[in-house]
Amino acid sequence: MEFHSFKTFEEMSAAAAGAIAKILRARPECILGLATGSSPVGTYDELARMHREEGLSFARCTTVNLDEYLGLPGTHPESYRFFMEKHLFSRVDIRRERTFVPDGTAADPAAECAAYDARLERLGGTDLQLLGIGPDGHIGFNEPDDVFTPQTHVVDLAPSTIEANSRFFESEADVPRKALTMGMRGILLSRRILLVASGPAKRKRIDEAFSGPVTPRLPASILQLHRDVTVLWSED
Ligand code: GLP
């Protein structure tokens, strides 16, 4: 694992965007694994700037997101589809039909998960997977558990995740209790992993995840098994 520490969120975000832009320029038809949460927002701002000012194009790439709240349509302001539209898709030249986010309103969520995995396998995994890390060490929405789940699946969100994510909703009661998330196989299939995180609490989780045992109790620890992980961390 390669670890880079930055003073500011802006510097970290510029480094993350730079790594993504490098792949996009070398292979315009690349497959990007994308994430939500506050950590990648600066990365998307910088990518949008590079599109505007430097002609960075997303026209030929495909994106696959990690997760979505169960029950939220893409028009809901807190859905992850909406998040991606707002922070990246609407600001660049990406083709919407090449953007994949699990459908939180699928009539049969299990079938939606299976179809999501089938697509990911067809694509051969992503070239780069952008990740954040939850306060409990989750990646995507893979919460601490007794086992690692390889497939895309429906999860019960941990109480600490519901509490942490309630800052985006009117009240904690409005936070969906379940989500669809890419499983560990989908994440590990990526050729390269780029994890972005900020602040002392996340730093502690990262240290535990990469220096302690590989355990489903700390989901991010599975990244120890991947051969190309870069962690970008900022102090603020
Ligand atoms: C959510 C997302 C995760 C993300 C995590 C951390 O729960 N499902 O993919 O990594 O939040 O978010 P933040 O970066 O806002 O701390």
Side-chain angles (χ1 to χ4, degrees):
M1 185 268 268
E2 225 183 88
F3 182 85
H4 298 279
S5 160
F6 299 86
K7 279 252 169 283
T8 67
F9 179 73
E10 286 71 25
E11 288 170 306
M12 177 192 76
S13 301
I20 295 171
K22 200 170 161 192
I23 294 182
L24 269 169
R25 289 195 175 109
R27 236 166 64 77
E29 69 288 0
C30 65
I31 300 162
L32 299 174
L34 301 179
T36 53
S38 43
S39 305
V41 166
T43 305
Y44 296 147
D45 285 345
E46 178 62 9
L47 286 171
R49 188 200 63 75
M50 288 168 135
H51 169 70
R52 236 177 19 249
E53 296 174 10
E54 298 168 13
L56 180 70
S57 177
F58 291 73
R60 291 165 62 194
C61 81
T62 298
T63 65
V64 184
N65 261 77
L66 286 168
D67 46 15
E68 179 59 282
Y69 288 113
L70 186 70
L72 294 197
T75 49
H76 189 289
E78 293 313 329
S79 73
Y80 285 164
R81 163 61 74 179
F82 194 95
F83 174 103
M84 290 310 305
E85 272 300 321
K86 177 171 162 198
H87 292 285
L88 186 67
F89 299 160
S90 65
R91 306 163 81 190
V92 298
D93 58 345
I94 202 159
R95 290 163 53 204
R96 288 306 180 286
E97 64 275 23
R98 298 308 307 163
T99 65
F100 299 102
V101 180
D103 180 359
T105 61
D108 182 347
E112 168 67 10
C113 291
Y116 209 71
D117 278 340
R119 181 180 302 108
L120 201 51
E121 296 286 340
R122 268 199 313 277
L123 291 170
T126 57
D127 290 299
L128 176 139
Q129 177 66 60
L130 184 61
L131 285 181
I133 181 169
D136 59 1
H138 72 231
I139 49 176
F141 265 136
N142 291 275
E143 296 283 25
D145 199 350
D146 295 335
V147 291
F148 289 116
T149 303
Q151 301 84 4
T152 297
H153 58 290
V154 175
V155 283
D156 291 313
L157 298 180
S160 63
T161 300
I162 294 168
E163 195 195 321
N165 290 2
S166 67
R167 68 188 193 277
F168 301 112
F169 291 81
E170 288 230 321
S171 77
E172 201 171 307
D174 295 325
V175 185
R177 268 36 188 173
K178 289 177 189 286
L180 283 74
T181 184
M182 190 188 287
M184 294 306 194
R185 176 173 163 78
I187 293 172
L188 295 179
L189 259 185
S190 184
R191 251 87 58 210
R192 181 160 180 221
I193 301 214
L194 188 62
L195 191 151
V196 288
S198 304
K202 294 283 179 84
R203 176 65 190 265
K204 189 162 172 282
R205 276 287 172 269
I206 290 165
D207 290 346
E208 287 164 2
F210 288 94
S211 57
V214 175
T215 165
R217 289 278 142 221
L218 180 48
S221 66
I222 203 167
L223 299 175
Q224 287 186 44
L225 305 182
H226 195 279
R227 68 162 100 177
D228 192 350
V229 179
T230 303
V231 176
L232 305 181
W233 175 81
S234 73
E235 288 175 21
D236 65 354

